[in-house]
């Protein structure tokens, strides 16, 4: 009888270990990927949340390490360099002094999206335009994509409305909004 109970307990233990063996710890689980280029995603956001000005989507050349190239990276993303991102694009007004900037970056493999987002928020200049300032700023993380959205609240637009539109494009809510 003792042998039968011992064998039954051993079998239960083996089965319980086998059942746990396929679980991947959260730290090792693959990051959520948002499909599409940053330019395509920005254009989809503007389709969902239209703007009342003529705007344009442009990529940021992350390979340009000249003084001008680094200025572009800093001006649009708030980052000092492109080490933590693999792709970036922005949507801004084509003319005029309107405080509006929507930026998407895809984080580099292994980069911490929230750390990238915090660096973007602390590094961006909300007064980069002549005579106007963005006073509504949100930075949100959607898997491997970080969105920086800033606008002047007097414009009738809100940063949150664009974050919500990107959530519809991505197909899920942001992991964080700062």
């Amino acid at each position: 009888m003792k042998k039968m109970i011992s064998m039954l307990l051993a079998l239960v233990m083996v089965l319980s270990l086998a059942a746990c063996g396929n679980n991947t710890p959260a730290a090792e689980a693959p990051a959520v990927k948002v499909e599409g280029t940053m330019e395509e995603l920005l254009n989809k956001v503007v389709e969902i949340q239209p703007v009342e000005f003529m705007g344009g989507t442009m990529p940021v050349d992350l390979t340009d390490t000249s003084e001008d190239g680094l200025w572009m990276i800093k001006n649009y993303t708030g980052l000092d360099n492109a080490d933590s991102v693999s792709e970036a694009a922005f949507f801004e007004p084509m003319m005029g002094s309107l405080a509006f900037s929507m930026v998407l970056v895809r984080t580099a493999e292994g980069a911490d999206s929230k750390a990238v987002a915090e660096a973007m928020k602390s590094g961006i200049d909300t007064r980069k335009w002549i005579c106007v300032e963005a006073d509504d700023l949100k930075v949100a993380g959607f898997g491997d994509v970080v969105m920086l959205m800033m606008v002047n609240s007097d414009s009738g637009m809100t940063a949150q409305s664009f974050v919500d539109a990107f959530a519809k494009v991505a197909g899920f809510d942001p992991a964080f909004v700062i």
Side-chain angles (χ1 to χ4, degrees):
M1 182 71 167
K2 286 183 183 180
K3 285 184 184 180
M4 175 94 76
I5 291 174
S6 295
M7 292 193 52
L8 186 60
L9 286 173
L11 180 63
V12 168
M13 205 160 86
V14 168
L15 290 175
S16 67
L17 288 175
C20 294
N22 290 334
N23 290 344
T24 303
E28 296 175 23
V32 176
K33 301 254 184 216
V34 180
E35 296 299 321
T37 68
M38 300 301 96
E39 293 171 84
E40 292 167 344
L41 295 170
L42 284 168
N43 289 330
K44 288 178 182 178
V45 170
V46 175
E47 287 175 18
I48 293 171
Q49 181 62 50
V51 295
E52 295 182 11
F53 58 83
M54 182 176 280
T57 302
M58 295 290 296
V60 178
D61 183 358
L62 301 176
T63 63
D64 185 353
T65 57
S66 69
E67 186 176 333
D68 287 341
L70 291 174
W71 178 85
M72 290 284 289
I73 292 168
K74 179 71 171 178
N75 186 56
Y76 292 108
T77 69
L79 300 171
D80 293 325
N81 57 57
D83 294 346
S84 58
V85 296
S86 62
E87 183 184 3
F90 63 90
F91 180 91
E92 289 195 352
M94 290 186 169
M95 296 181 74
S97 291
L98 178 63
F100 180 99
S101 184
M102 181 169 40
V103 180
L104 294 180
V105 302
R106 187 173 306 278
T107 56
E109 188 73 31
D112 179 358
S113 293
K114 191 160 188 183
V116 171
E118 289 169 349
M120 290 173 71
K121 185 172 184 180
S122 67
I124 199 68
D125 180 6
T126 58
R127 291 193 53 84
K128 68 180 189 173
W129 304 276
I130 298 170
C131 301
V132 294
E133 177 178 8
D135 61 352
D136 185 5
L137 170 65
K138 300 263 187 221
V139 184
F142 296 85
D144 65 338
V145 175
V146 175
M147 175 190 211
L148 181 144
M149 179 61 217
M150 61 181 176
V151 64
N152 184 302
S153 57
D154 290 341
S155 68
M157 297 178 279
T158 66
Q160 187 62 51
S161 65
F162 289 91
V163 171
D164 293 344
F166 189 70
K168 289 178 184 174
V169 170
F172 53 91
D173 289 333
F176 59 84
V177 178
I178 53 176

